[in-house]
Amino acid sequence: MRLAGNVIWFIFGGAYTALLWLLGAAIFALSIVGLPLTRAAIEMAKLSAFPFGKDVVHVRELDGKGLTPTTAVTGTIGFVFNVLWLLTFGLALCLSYLALGIIYCLTIIGIPFGLQCFKLAGISLWPVGRRVVSVELAETARRHAAEETFARRRTG
């Protein structure tokens, strides 16, 4: 089902939006200051092209899975870049994806595509420090992070 959803999504707009995000990433990459936004735009392009079977997680949830918080902009600097993103592109993108998601959800066939629009709306607001991964990896990372948090609170 993921493959069919991704193929339909890609043909009817996913390829176009992914290319726009990659163009935005190239523009952000022209300045050294824009590199964290470049990474965020690339993550958006990955999700925009093939959203079915993908989820978004914070890099802290991926600790021990190949990424650590030091490999992405996090903390105060990440907050500043996310605010910059929100004020330049994030709010407009979020509202666009929300409107499109509502329109898709008006039909039964469009509901899965509407849900993907809502997922894209969520990451379009605050993408710096987030990564697009498979649903299975996201679930495993969240479970592992929850177990670590539980263990710390139980012993502390």
Side-chain angles (χ1 to χ4, degrees):
M1 193 64 181
R2 290 180 188 176
L3 178 63
N6 279 326
V7 168
I8 294 168
W9 180 274
F10 189 78
I11 291 171
F12 290 106
Y16 175 72
T17 58
L19 286 175
L20 287 175
W21 278 109
L22 291 174
L23 176 65
I27 291 170
F28 287 135
L30 292 176
S31 71
I32 292 183
V33 175
L35 288 177
L37 297 175
T38 300
R39 174 64 190 233
I42 290 171
E43 291 298 316
M44 283 293 295
K46 286 180 2 184
L47 191 60
S48 292
F50 302 107
F52 291 92
K54 300 278 193 286
D55 204 353
V56 180
V57 295
H58 195 277
V59 293
R60 288 187 188 116
E61 294 174 322
L62 292 173
D63 190 24
K65 307 284 189 260
L67 288 174
T68 62
T70 58
T71 60
V73 176
T74 57
T76 305
I77 295 172
F79 177 79
V80 169
F81 277 112
N82 274 319
V83 169
L84 177 64
W85 179 278
L86 178 70
L87 296 176
T88 55
F89 298 104
L91 191 58
L93 283 168
C94 180
L95 294 175
S96 299
Y97 281 125
L98 285 175
L100 189 57
I102 290 170
I103 292 169
Y104 273 129
C105 285
L106 292 176
T107 65
I108 292 174
I109 294 173
I111 290 174
F113 299 99
L115 295 176
Q116 299 309 316
C117 286
F118 296 144
K119 184 178 6 177
L120 286 160
I123 191 176
S124 66
L125 276 179
W126 212 255
V128 177
R130 307 293 189 277
R131 297 295 174 263
V132 176
V133 296
S134 69
V135 173
E136 296 81 13
L137 178 60
E139 183 179 314
T140 302
R142 288 186 182 120
R143 186 174 332 134
H144 180 69
E147 288 170 357
E148 285 184 355
T149 303
F150 180 73
R152 275 196 309 262
R153 289 185 184 188
R154 191 174 67 194
T155 60

